[in-house]
Amino acid sequence: MATTAPFTTHYDQFIAELTALTRKYGVAIQSVGGVILADAPGEFRNVTYRADISSGDLYPEFAEN
């Protein structure tokens, strides 16, 4: 897990955009300890999400390159 300044900036930008999406669509995410940070730029370029609305679960799926 990266903790360098560029990744902190990316995390802060992500939170700002997530806030905007929450306000736009009326969907909020509650997560405790569920954040995964990329170790390198582009590492998550193929990520998708599996969402189960009946349980409220949201899982990232990391495709192999």
Side-chain angles (χ1 to χ4, degrees):
M1 184 180 337
T3 57
T4 60
F7 290 102
T8 300
T9 300
H10 289 165
Y11 183 75
D12 292 341
Q13 292 170 342
F14 174 82
I15 295 301
E17 290 187 40
L18 180 60
T19 300
L21 288 171
T22 295
R23 292 175 180 169
K24 180 177 180 177
Y25 293 105
V27 177
I29 298 173
Q30 178 178 328
S31 175
V32 177
V35 175
I36 302 169
L37 299 177
D39 290 324
E43 183 178 345
F44 293 168
R45 70 180 158 269
N46 294 323
V47 72
T48 58
Y49 285 92
R50 182 169 36 98
D52 179 358
I53 197 164
S54 65
S55 69
D57 293 341
L58 178 67
Y59 298 99
E61 294 182 336
F62 300 94
E64 295 296 320
N65 292 335

